[in-house]
Amino acid sequence: MSDPRILILGAPGAGKGTQSKRLCEEYDIEHITTGDALRANKQMETEYGTPAEYMDAGELVPDPLVNEIVAAALEDADGFVLDGYPRNESQVEYLEDATDLDVVLYLDVDEEELVRRLTGRRVCPECGASYHVDFNPPEEEGVCDECGSELVQRDDDTEETVRERLKTYEENTEDVIEHYRGTDEFVQIDGEQSPDEVWADVKDAVDAQAE
């Protein structure tokens, strides 16, 4: 099988990062995220300027510039997992002109489960270790295993912020999911299973679609 070209979709907390990592290891392909592509090409000159001009000012990088950066990253990769792009209909159209996808994976997770996953994260302000109250708790509640410091919940992991993030995600990407839902490449995966069960379904989908 040639190196598969995969698009992975799903809300924050759906497990895209975990599954993307396993896909890259299994098929020896690249993990392309919008953020990484922009950081790697901060000084790339385009007719819209460089990504650095927007990123350093804390502004959103405009779509046409993001498109060019992602296209350049895809061009350099034989196979890939594309994560975090496209985010809207115009980016979908650009991507369809730039490359052919073998499979579009959608990790489907209920909103309440996403909230549970995202609000359960706890981090150590001293050494940066990360935990989860349900899935990866420290040995002693609220205390870092590594350095003994008190764990904290980040501001962006509070329920109010998480629900706002999920609402924004849904508003922006619902059209993207619906666009691909009608295609032969689209495979919906039950993202509420264990990571190993999700991986089994993901691998089956990629192997079937990329034959």
Side-chain angles (χ1 to χ4, degrees), residues 34-91:
T34 316
D36 288 346
L38 287 169
R39 281 188 288 275
N41 295 280
K42 274 185 80 169
Q43 304 305 330
M44 181 171 148
E45 292 285 352
T46 75
E47 61 179 294
Y48 309 100
T50 67
E53 292 168 27
Y54 298 93
M55 294 164 76
D56 294 346
E59 296 173 5
L60 277 177
V61 180
D63 270 5
L65 184 43
V66 173
N67 290 342
E68 285 198 29
I69 297 289
V70 170
L74 295 177
E75 214 170 274
D76 293 340
D78 293 326
F80 56 80
V81 184
L82 183 56
D83 173 6
Y85 178 98
R87 290 179 181 269
N88 55 49
E89 200 69 44
S90 70
Q91 289 183 351

Side-chain angles (χ1 to χ4, degrees), residues 157-174:
D157 290 337
T158 62
E159 182 171 346
E160 184 182 357
T161 307
V162 163
R163 288 193 185 278
E164 194 57 43
R165 277 171 66 199
L166 293 174
K167 183 180 169 197
T168 301
Y169 164 82
E170 190 176 331
E171 286 170 353
N172 290 337
T173 54
E174 194 170 5

Side-chain angles (χ1 to χ4, degrees), residues 110-125:
D110 179 74
E111 183 178 328
E112 292 311 310
E113 174 62 17
L114 292 170
V115 170
R116 184 168 81 95
R117 292 180 183 182
L118 293 166
T119 57
R121 185 167 58 170
R122 300 291 183 272
V123 294
C124 175

Side-chain angles (χ1 to χ4, degrees), residues 140-159:
E140 183 183 343
E141 187 178 342
V143 178
C144 178
D145 294 343
E146 304 294 326
C147 69
S149 299
E150 189 175 337
L151 301 177
V152 298
Q153 183 184 47
R154 288 180 179 157
D155 291 344
D156 58 355
D157 290 337
T158 62
E159 182 171 346

